Amino acid sequence: MTDLATFAAGLPKAELHLHIEGSLEPELMFALAARNGIAIPFANVDEVRAAYEFSNLQDFLDIYYRGADVLRTQADFRDLALAYFDRAAADTVRHAEIFFDPQTHTARGVPMAAVIEGLLEGMAEAETRHGLTSRLILCFLRHLDEADAFSTLEAAMPWLDRIAGVGLDSSEMGHPPEKFARVFARAVDLGLARVAHAGEEGPPDYVVQALDVLKIDRLDHGNRAMEDPSLVTRLARSGMALTVCPLSNLKLCVVPHIDAHPIRAMLAAGLRATVNSDDPAYFGGYINDNFRAIAPQLSRADLVTLARNSFLGSFLDDAAVTAALAEIDAYAAAHP
Ligand code: ADE
Ligand code: ZN
């Protein structure tokens, strides 16, 4: 590892863009398939990994939704979450705001209670084990309709006080944010935070819709906002956090190679960019692998900014953010 990558690896950080279903490693997939008596169409973990070649977002989503089929019980969701938190803690993640896709599970007959209670169990254990705090973000699948999103929100009502916010993910093209205007308005009424994937494959106008129609607090990806200078200025002036995912962008051909990644340009434009792993089991690495991939393009000061942005863009309260920023400063001072 280069010195800068080593420095980044030890920085205290928050992860703000992580699909818990996307942290399902092939080894756990096989273990859960055996536990639940489910057949999977691969002979071994190497075959699974060999299938992870994608030319766009939809290629990935097709295999990702199939992988999630092994998740059936509350214990499965607990084990899934804990496996992620153990990895994140090893990467000096202090806080994680994790996405989950309830519709992927409820459509298969898995109860909402099994999904949420399992994740909450894993989150509580991660705090005990590692001091790692976390929050849940309930994502709506944008390829499904608004009515399905509304009934999903309704089904999650008993756990509303344990959910930080709602998000929007899955196939972006052809499913503009405005399709979910009313369900996001309901989230506002319920006091939930709002985030949305926009500008990963979709045009800059989808980012504008996410801001104006969905009233987002944070933008997931946002790469294609860089095509519109007035939008970049708007995002920078408002201090909107962008949850950027370099290895995801590489694996889904959002960028042709890692050196072409816009992370440096984003920081130079004054955007509150953060670094995240998205679906680490599918894209070749966890958060520090993402830092390692982009470190050659960045300065030490950029890396500190990225770590600071992860807390500034989080849903932590002011006291927790201040404490985390002080921890980053102390780390930087101790690693001149
Ligand atoms: N679901 C999981 N990962 C995703 C991504 N990168 N974009 C959209 N939906 C997703
Ligand atoms: Zn994502």
Tab-separated table of all heavy atoms in Angstrom, residues 229-264:
chain	number	residue	atom	x	y	z
A	229	PRO	N	-22.758	22.501	-15.054
A	229	PRO	CA	-22.035	23.413	-14.139
A	229	PRO	C	-22.959	24.150	-13.167
A	229	PRO	O	-22.585	24.364	-12.005
A	229	PRO	CB	-21.334	24.397	-15.081
A	229	PRO	CG	-21.244	23.674	-16.397
A	229	PRO	CD	-22.443	22.773	-16.467
A	230	SER	N	-24.157	24.514	-13.610
A	230	SER	CA	-25.036	25.258	-12.685
A	230	SER	C	-25.530	24.329	-11.565
A	230	SER	O	-25.727	24.761	-10.423
A	230	SER	CB	-26.213	25.889	-13.434
A	230	SER	OG	-27.036	24.876	-13.966
A	231	LEU	N	-25.702	23.059	-11.893
A	231	LEU	CA	-26.108	22.087	-10.873
A	231	LEU	C	-24.963	21.851	-9.881
A	231	LEU	O	-25.201	21.758	-8.664
A	231	LEU	CB	-26.526	20.781	-11.561
A	231	LEU	CG	-26.975	19.623	-10.686
A	231	LEU	CD1	-28.120	20.021	-9.753
A	231	LEU	CD2	-27.403	18.432	-11.567
A	232	VAL	N	-23.743	21.784	-10.383
A	232	VAL	CA	-22.579	21.618	-9.492
A	232	VAL	C	-22.517	22.785	-8.517
A	232	VAL	O	-22.331	22.606	-7.305
A	232	VAL	CB	-21.266	21.497	-10.311
A	232	VAL	CG1	-20.042	21.551	-9.395
A	232	VAL	CG2	-21.265	20.206	-11.132
A	233	THR	N	-22.708	23.994	-9.037
A	233	THR	CA	-22.681	25.184	-8.174
A	233	THR	C	-23.783	25.101	-7.120
A	233	THR	O	-23.559	25.366	-5.934
A	233	THR	CB	-22.870	26.459	-9.038
A	233	THR	OG1	-21.838	26.476	-10.012
A	233	THR	CG2	-22.813	27.716	-8.185
A	234	ARG	N	-24.952	24.688	-7.549
A	234	ARG	CA	-26.079	24.572	-6.601
A	234	ARG	C	-25.769	23.550	-5.501
A	234	ARG	O	-26.002	23.804	-4.311
A	234	ARG	CB	-27.332	24.152	-7.383
A	234	ARG	CG	-28.527	23.965	-6.501
A	234	ARG	CD	-29.752	23.536	-7.291
A	234	ARG	NE	-30.843	23.302	-6.348
A	234	ARG	CZ	-32.028	22.829	-6.685
A	234	ARG	NH1	-32.292	22.561	-7.946
A	234	ARG	NH2	-32.947	22.641	-5.766
A	235	LEU	N	-25.239	22.393	-5.891
A	235	LEU	CA	-24.926	21.340	-4.903
A	235	LEU	C	-23.829	21.808	-3.948
A	235	LEU	O	-23.890	21.567	-2.739
A	235	LEU	CB	-24.488	20.055	-5.623
A	235	LEU	CG	-25.588	19.324	-6.412
A	235	LEU	CD1	-24.970	18.283	-7.348
A	235	LEU	CD2	-26.592	18.666	-5.469
A	236	ALA	N	-22.831	22.487	-4.498
A	236	ALA	CA	-21.716	22.948	-3.660
A	236	ALA	C	-22.205	24.017	-2.678
A	236	ALA	O	-21.904	23.959	-1.476
A	236	ALA	CB	-20.590	23.493	-4.540
A	237	ARG	N	-22.982	24.970	-3.178
A	237	ARG	CA	-23.455	26.077	-2.314
A	237	ARG	C	-24.331	25.568	-1.186
A	237	ARG	O	-24.329	26.110	-0.083
A	237	ARG	CB	-24.249	27.089	-3.140
A	237	ARG	CG	-23.367	27.922	-4.012
A	237	ARG	CD	-23.934	29.348	-4.182
A	237	ARG	NE	-22.990	30.125	-5.002
A	237	ARG	CZ	-23.306	30.697	-6.150
A	237	ARG	NH1	-24.541	30.634	-6.605
A	237	ARG	NH2	-22.400	31.364	-6.824
A	238	SER	N	-25.110	24.525	-1.471
A	238	SER	CA	-26.042	24.034	-0.450
A	238	SER	C	-25.379	23.050	0.511
A	238	SER	O	-26.004	22.617	1.483
A	238	SER	CB	-27.250	23.373	-1.115
A	238	SER	OG	-26.829	22.226	-1.821
A	239	GLY	N	-24.138	22.683	0.231
A	239	GLY	CA	-23.445	21.733	1.109
A	239	GLY	C	-24.030	20.336	1.044
A	239	GLY	O	-23.884	19.532	1.974
A	240	MET	N	-24.670	20.009	-0.078
A	240	MET	CA	-25.272	18.675	-0.251
A	240	MET	C	-24.178	17.599	-0.274
A	240	MET	O	-23.216	17.706	-1.035
A	240	MET	CB	-26.040	18.667	-1.575
A	240	MET	CG	-26.660	17.351	-1.971
A	240	MET	SD	-28.004	16.787	-0.912
A	240	MET	CE	-29.157	18.144	-0.987
A	241	ALA	N	-24.326	16.585	0.561
A	241	ALA	CA	-23.360	15.484	0.538
A	241	ALA	C	-23.673	14.541	-0.623
A	241	ALA	O	-24.838	14.254	-0.909
A	241	ALA	CB	-23.397	14.720	1.852
A	242	LEU	N	-22.619	14.089	-1.282
A	242	LEU	CA	-22.731	13.088	-2.349
A	242	LEU	C	-22.071	11.800	-1.852
A	242	LEU	O	-20.917	11.822	-1.408
A	242	LEU	CB	-21.994	13.534	-3.617
A	242	LEU	CG	-22.735	14.419	-4.619
A	242	LEU	CD1	-23.007	15.796	-4.043
A	242	LEU	CD2	-21.930	14.545	-5.906
A	243	THR	N	-22.790	10.701	-1.940
A	243	THR	CA	-22.197	9.425	-1.535
A	243	THR	C	-21.641	8.734	-2.784
A	243	THR	O	-22.365	8.086	-3.532
A	243	THR	CB	-23.224	8.534	-0.820
A	243	THR	OG1	-24.277	8.206	-1.708
A	243	THR	CG2	-23.790	9.239	0.413
A	244	VAL	N	-20.364	8.910	-2.988
A	244	VAL	CA	-19.703	8.454	-4.215
A	244	VAL	C	-19.111	7.063	-3.976
A	244	VAL	O	-18.636	6.762	-2.880
A	244	VAL	CB	-18.603	9.481	-4.604
A	244	VAL	CG1	-17.905	9.068	-5.879
A	244	VAL	CG2	-19.210	10.877	-4.726
A	245	CYS	N	-19.153	6.226	-5.014
A	245	CYS	CA	-18.767	4.808	-4.877
A	245	CYS	C	-17.813	4.430	-6.002
A	245	CYS	O	-18.245	3.897	-7.048
A	245	CYS	CB	-20.021	3.941	-4.912
A	245	CYS	SG	-21.279	4.430	-3.704
A	246	PRO	N	-16.508	4.665	-5.825
A	246	PRO	CA	-15.567	4.506	-6.938
A	246	PRO	C	-15.511	3.105	-7.543
A	246	PRO	O	-15.590	2.967	-8.781
A	246	PRO	CB	-14.218	4.889	-6.305
A	246	PRO	CG	-14.585	5.811	-5.181
A	246	PRO	CD	-15.874	5.289	-4.641
A	247	LEU	N	-15.383	2.061	-6.737
A	247	LEU	CA	-15.269	0.715	-7.322
A	247	LEU	C	-16.580	0.271	-7.958
A	247	LEU	O	-16.585	-0.446	-8.961
A	247	LEU	CB	-14.807	-0.302	-6.270
A	247	LEU	CG	-13.345	-0.166	-5.822
A	247	LEU	CD1	-13.027	-1.147	-4.698
A	247	LEU	CD2	-12.382	-0.376	-7.000
A	248	SER	N	-17.698	0.697	-7.401
A	248	SER	CA	-18.998	0.440	-8.026
A	248	SER	C	-19.036	1.090	-9.409
A	248	SER	O	-19.417	0.457	-10.398
A	248	SER	CB	-20.113	1.020	-7.146
A	248	SER	OG	-21.326	1.123	-7.852
A	249	ASN	N	-18.623	2.347	-9.479
A	249	ASN	CA	-18.625	3.065	-10.753
A	249	ASN	C	-17.753	2.361	-11.787
A	249	ASN	O	-18.094	2.312	-12.968
A	249	ASN	CB	-18.124	4.508	-10.567
A	249	ASN	CG	-19.035	5.384	-9.721
A	249	ASN	OD1	-18.600	6.400	-9.179
A	249	ASN	ND2	-20.308	5.016	-9.597
A	250	LEU	N	-16.645	1.795	-11.315
A	250	LEU	CA	-15.762	1.069	-12.237
A	250	LEU	C	-16.432	-0.222	-12.708
A	250	LEU	O	-16.502	-0.496	-13.912
A	250	LEU	CB	-14.437	0.763	-11.513
A	250	LEU	CG	-13.370	0.070	-12.347
A	250	LEU	CD1	-12.902	0.981	-13.479
A	250	LEU	CD2	-12.176	-0.333	-11.470
A	251	LYS	N	-16.975	-1.009	-11.766
A	251	LYS	CA	-17.541	-2.319	-12.113
A	251	LYS	C	-18.793	-2.183	-12.973
A	251	LYS	O	-19.107	-3.057	-13.763
A	251	LYS	CB	-17.879	-3.114	-10.841
A	251	LYS	CG	-16.684	-3.704	-10.142
A	251	LYS	CD	-15.990	-4.800	-10.948
A	251	LYS	CE	-16.563	-6.177	-10.692
A	251	LYS	NZ	-15.769	-7.261	-11.296
A	252	LEU	N	-19.542	-1.071	-12.797
A	252	LEU	CA	-20.779	-0.888	-13.572
A	252	LEU	C	-20.547	-0.003	-14.803
A	252	LEU	O	-21.512	0.457	-15.433
A	252	LEU	CB	-21.884	-0.319	-12.682
A	252	LEU	CG	-22.243	-1.188	-11.463
A	252	LEU	CD1	-23.443	-0.620	-10.716
A	252	LEU	CD2	-22.514	-2.632	-11.862
A	253	CYS	N	-19.278	0.237	-15.120
A	253	CYS	CA	-18.906	0.971	-16.339
A	253	CYS	C	-19.461	2.400	-16.368
A	253	CYS	O	-19.720	2.956	-17.438
A	253	CYS	CB	-19.320	0.204	-17.587
A	253	CYS	SG	-18.661	-1.477	-17.624
A	254	VAL	N	-19.647	2.977	-15.174
A	254	VAL	CA	-19.996	4.401	-15.079
A	254	VAL	C	-18.754	5.231	-15.424
A	254	VAL	O	-18.852	6.334	-15.962
A	254	VAL	CB	-20.534	4.726	-13.663
A	254	VAL	CG1	-20.631	6.219	-13.405
A	254	VAL	CG2	-21.901	4.044	-13.463
A	255	VAL	N	-17.573	4.678	-15.106
A	255	VAL	CA	-16.300	5.276	-15.548
A	255	VAL	C	-15.515	4.188	-16.298
A	255	VAL	O	-15.613	3.007	-15.946
A	255	VAL	CB	-15.453	5.828	-14.377
A	255	VAL	CG1	-16.149	6.991	-13.704
A	255	VAL	CG2	-15.100	4.741	-13.356
A	256	PRO	N	-14.734	4.582	-17.330
A	256	PRO	CA	-14.019	3.570	-18.120
A	256	PRO	C	-12.828	2.955	-17.374
A	256	PRO	O	-12.476	1.817	-17.604
A	256	PRO	CB	-13.554	4.339	-19.362
A	256	PRO	CG	-13.539	5.777	-18.948
A	256	PRO	CD	-14.588	5.932	-17.892
A	257	HIS	N	-12.176	3.729	-16.532
A	257	HIS	CA	-11.111	3.201	-15.674
A	257	HIS	C	-11.005	4.093	-14.446
A	257	HIS	O	-11.529	5.215	-14.444
A	257	HIS	CB	-9.773	3.035	-16.410
A	257	HIS	CG	-9.387	4.228	-17.221
A	257	HIS	ND1	-8.745	5.303	-16.686
A	257	HIS	CD2	-9.603	4.510	-18.536
A	257	HIS	CE1	-8.563	6.202	-17.643
A	257	HIS	NE2	-9.075	5.750	-18.759
A	258	ILE	N	-10.331	3.594	-13.420
A	258	ILE	CA	-10.379	4.292	-12.135
A	258	ILE	C	-9.710	5.674	-12.213
A	258	ILE	O	-10.130	6.609	-11.530
A	258	ILE	CB	-9.804	3.415	-10.990
A	258	ILE	CG1	-10.315	3.888	-9.630
A	258	ILE	CG2	-8.294	3.329	-11.024
A	258	ILE	CD1	-11.777	3.692	-9.368
A	259	ASP	N	-8.717	5.808	-13.084
A	259	ASP	CA	-8.057	7.124	-13.207
A	259	ASP	C	-8.993	8.184	-13.779
A	259	ASP	O	-8.724	9.380	-13.654
A	259	ASP	CB	-6.815	7.012	-14.106
A	259	ASP	CG	-5.796	6.065	-13.520
A	259	ASP	OD1	-5.849	5.826	-12.297
A	259	ASP	OD2	-4.947	5.553	-14.284
A	260	ALA	N	-10.074	7.726	-14.415
A	260	ALA	CA	-11.035	8.681	-14.984
A	260	ALA	C	-12.150	9.021	-13.988
A	260	ALA	O	-13.100	9.720	-14.324
A	260	ALA	CB	-11.655	8.092	-16.251
A	261	HIS	N	-12.018	8.522	-12.762
A	261	HIS	CA	-13.085	8.782	-11.793
A	261	HIS	C	-13.134	10.273	-11.423
A	261	HIS	O	-12.084	10.893	-11.221
A	261	HIS	CB	-12.903	7.924	-10.527
A	261	HIS	CG	-14.153	7.894	-9.726
A	261	HIS	ND1	-14.490	8.910	-8.862
A	261	HIS	CD2	-15.202	7.040	-9.736
A	261	HIS	CE1	-15.685	8.645	-8.357
A	261	HIS	NE2	-16.135	7.519	-8.867
A	262	PRO	N	-14.344	10.850	-11.288
A	262	PRO	CA	-14.437	12.306	-11.046
A	262	PRO	C	-14.221	12.747	-9.593
A	262	PRO	O	-14.429	13.928	-9.287
A	262	PRO	CB	-15.865	12.629	-11.490
A	262	PRO	CG	-16.635	11.379	-11.247
A	262	PRO	CD	-15.672	10.241	-11.526
A	263	ILE	N	-13.798	11.859	-8.699
A	263	ILE	CA	-13.739	12.227	-7.269
A	263	ILE	C	-12.902	13.492	-7.027
A	263	ILE	O	-13.302	14.368	-6.259
A	263	ILE	CB	-13.230	11.036	-6.399
A	263	ILE	CG1	-13.400	11.329	-4.919
A	263	ILE	CG2	-11.798	10.646	-6.728
A	263	ILE	CD1	-14.806	11.269	-4.419
A	264	ARG	N	-11.769	13.594	-7.721
A	264	ARG	CA	-10.908	14.754	-7.498
A	264	ARG	C	-11.593	16.024	-8.011
A	264	ARG	O	-11.567	17.077	-7.350
A	264	ARG	CB	-9.569	14.535	-8.217
A	264	ARG	CG	-8.548	15.571	-7.910
A	264	ARG	CD	-7.131	15.042	-8.148
A	264	ARG	NE	-6.161	16.090	-7.866
A	264	ARG	CZ	-5.737	16.944	-8.784
A	264	ARG	NH1	-6.189	16.874	-10.016
A	264	ARG	NH2	-4.866	17.882	-8.447
